Amino acid sequence: MAIFVCYSGKVEDGEALIAPLRGLGRPVADIMMRRPYTQMQNLLDATQPKGRRYYWKSHYLPGIDRQTIDVAVEHAGRIRSPHSAILLFQIQGALGELPAGHSPAGNRDAAYVLNIAGSWEKPGDDDINIKWARDCFEATRSCSTGGAYINFLTEDEGQDRIEAAYGRSNLDRLAALKRKYDPENFFRHTKSVSG
């Protein structure tokens, strides 16, 4: 298990908040340190080298409860590749301080993103690794808010998941802007907001 911490407030406050975490056992490594945000953003880049095969699914979660933990642990025990992982990203804080209609970012009530990240080496292992990710996704669906993080949507997810990412009213607003400023659909290589 790995825990990554990012605190954007006063250094002293952040150090006080992580002190109990640092008191837990003896970690294999402790790389918690002050670092620029840009370095934090690419801290995990080396875990996803070019040439590997990837498939992921995700949900927003309202919190972490016993059911979520039990299902995640059960499916972590079924991981088919040493490169795959189940990740929890805490997103509480500033995201939820603004009203839902403030900007297109939907799901401001979510507390976590659960990302089921399949990663493997050989094309012959595609089916078993994709199945693992999909099975874990379905098993955790009842724990979810029903929302989705737009950057974690895959090619096989349709308009319903795009709506789950933005919310219907935000998606309608984005679609109107898209029709006005991009009528030729120049920006078409992302998930469509055409509504």
Side-chain angles (χ1 to χ4, degrees):
M1 182 164 105
I3 299 173
F4 291 83
V5 176
C6 178
Y7 182 79
S8 300
K10 292 181 182 176
V11 172
E12 310 79 50
D13 295 342
E15 288 174 352
L17 286 169
I18 64 167
L21 183 60
R22 281 207 153 125
L24 292 175
R26 294 187 343 225
V28 172
D30 180 347
I31 60 167
M32 284 192 282
M33 61 176 24
R34 290 168 55 181
R35 63 179 81 228
Y37 183 74
T38 52
Q39 189 181 66
M40 187 71 182
Q41 278 298 95
N42 65 25
L43 204 56
L44 294 175
D45 287 359
T47 66
Q48 298 186 10
K50 290 182 191 279
R52 259 196 209 144
R53 305 183 70 77
Y54 300 98
Y55 183 83
W56 57 85
K57 302 288 276 182
S58 72
H59 296 290
Y60 275 127
L61 302 176
I64 299 174
D65 59 16
R66 186 82 236 167
Q67 178 188 356
T68 307
I69 292 168
D70 289 347
V71 172
V73 167
E74 177 187 346
H75 285 271
R78 297 179 188 169
I79 285 176
R80 303 305 303 243
S81 165
H83 306 299
S84 295
I86 297 175
L87 307 159
L88 285 165
F89 298 98
Q90 186 176 20
I91 56 172
Q92 295 164 301
L95 179 69
E97 292 173 3
L98 297 169
H102 177 267
S103 67
N107 300 282
R108 291 179 181 276
D109 59 339
Y112 293 86
V113 176
L114 171 66
N115 189 19
I116 301 142
S119 174
W120 62 98
E121 302 284 345
K122 298 176 186 169
D125 294 334
D126 287 1
D127 290 345
I128 60 170
N129 284 283
I130 291 170
K131 182 178 181 342
W132 168 78
R134 288 178 176 164
D135 288 349
C136 186
F137 175 76
E138 289 304 324
T140 54
R141 186 185 293 271
S142 65
C143 305
S144 130
T145 65
Y149 178 47
I150 193 72
N151 288 351
F152 286 165
L153 296 185
T154 56
E155 289 179 2
D156 61 355
E157 294 182 281
Q159 195 64 28
D160 62 321
R161 294 290 287 160
I162 297 169
E163 185 174 333
Y166 291 115
R168 181 77 254 164
S169 62
N170 286 341
L171 185 57
D172 289 345
R173 288 171 50 208
L174 285 170
L177 289 169
K178 172 92 170 153
R179 286 190 298 274
K180 180 176 180 179
Y181 293 105
D182 187 20
E184 303 298 318
N185 200 24
F186 180 80
F187 297 104
R188 63 186 170 277
H189 298 290
T190 61
K191 288 294 185 181
S192 175
V193 296
S194 58

